[in-house]
Amino acid sequence: PNQAGAHPPVMVSWYDGAAACAAQNKRLCWESEWVSACEGPEKLPFPYGLKRDATTCNIDNGYVKPHLERVYSKTPSEQNGELLTLDQSVASGEKAGCVSGFGVHDQTGNFDEWVNAEHDHKVSEWAGLKGGAWGHVRNACRPMTTSHPPEFTYYFISFRCCADAAPDPEVEKDPSYWRPPAEHPHTPPPGTKISEGWTTKERGPNRPGKP
């Protein structure tokens, strides 16, 4: 949510993220700009440096086995209880050192984030997941998961929004200047059911730093 101390929603699809960003006159980030924001001006493999560090970002937490029938339960109390048990996220900005050279927080770890892929993929099509969540996974700037379709939701998947920079006429004259694919679906098609997802309101039993 780009608010220190707040929690992004989980159980959101690419469509949910795209709609939420569009409501703010923004969009989901393109994979290359997400990577650039993460690597910073020095193009580091991790936002905080050259070596993976489990104390700097919210990564490498112990695995808690999910009960999928509860994760996707239509009974709010049952789903809430399961998601709270599974949740090992921290609030935005809580890990103060988890910030890139461009000042962007929490990109590796904490949540897996939907982005716009710049090339179509067999399963994820125009979507991808960046950053990795709070477990021991691909918590670096460049890797991207493309094994889930855009409608997929899960208990550690969220998103962040990006906005277009002001146009630079001189740069845009350069034929090598990168431009988004013209046919990419920036917004959900009409009739797509949109969810606000699930946001924790308390610390679950497995949350890092639980008092």
Side-chain angles (χ1 to χ4, degrees), residues 16 36 61 70 74 115 135 157 160 166 176 183 199:
D16 299 329
S36 178
N61 293 290
R70 299 176 191 170
K74 301 299 183 183
V115 296
I157 289 180
R160 72 177 66 214
S176 65
E183 300 302 317
T199 305

Side-chain angles (χ1 to χ4, degrees), residues 37-48:
C38 183
E39 292 184 336
E42 297 181 43
K43 297 190 182 299
L44 299 170
F46 305 96
Y48 45 81

Side-chain angles (χ1 to χ4, degrees), residues 32-162:
S32 60
E33 61 188 349
W34 194 101
V35 169
S36 178
C38 183
E39 292 184 336
E42 297 181 43
K43 297 190 182 299
L44 299 170
F46 305 96
Y48 45 81
L50 294 170
K51 185 177 179 181
R52 183 185 178 100
D53 184 357
T55 65
T56 300
C57 290
N58 183 26
I59 61 174
D60 293 352
N61 293 290
Y63 178 69
V64 180
K65 184 178 180 179
H67 297 86
L68 296 183
E69 72 281 2
R70 299 176 191 170
V71 169
Y72 296 104
S73 175
K74 301 299 183 183
T75 304
S77 59
E78 182 176 48
Q79 184 188 51
N80 183 73
E82 180 67 8
L83 295 178
L84 189 61
T85 298
L86 295 170
D87 181 41
Q88 297 187 67
S89 68
V90 296
S92 295
E94 188 171 324
K95 291 279 192 177
C98 191
V99 60
S100 76
F102 285 137
V104 185
H105 289 260
D106 305 319
Q107 285 191 267
T108 54
N110 212 32
F111 297 103
D112 228 356
E113 303 181 10
W114 285 115
V115 296
N116 291 328
E118 289 161 23
H119 304 282
D120 284 349
H121 298 275
K122 183 176 180 180
V123 178
S124 68
E125 301 180 74
W126 58 80
L129 288 163
K130 300 283 292 181
W134 52 70
H136 183 71
V137 290
R138 42 157 185 79
N139 307 114
C141 292
R142 293 202 178 187
M144 183 170 77
T145 293
T146 59
S147 55
H148 301 295
E151 62 269 21
F152 182 69
T153 64
Y154 209 40
Y155 64 92
F156 53 66
I157 289 180
S158 191
F159 64 94
R160 72 177 66 214
C161 302
C162 282

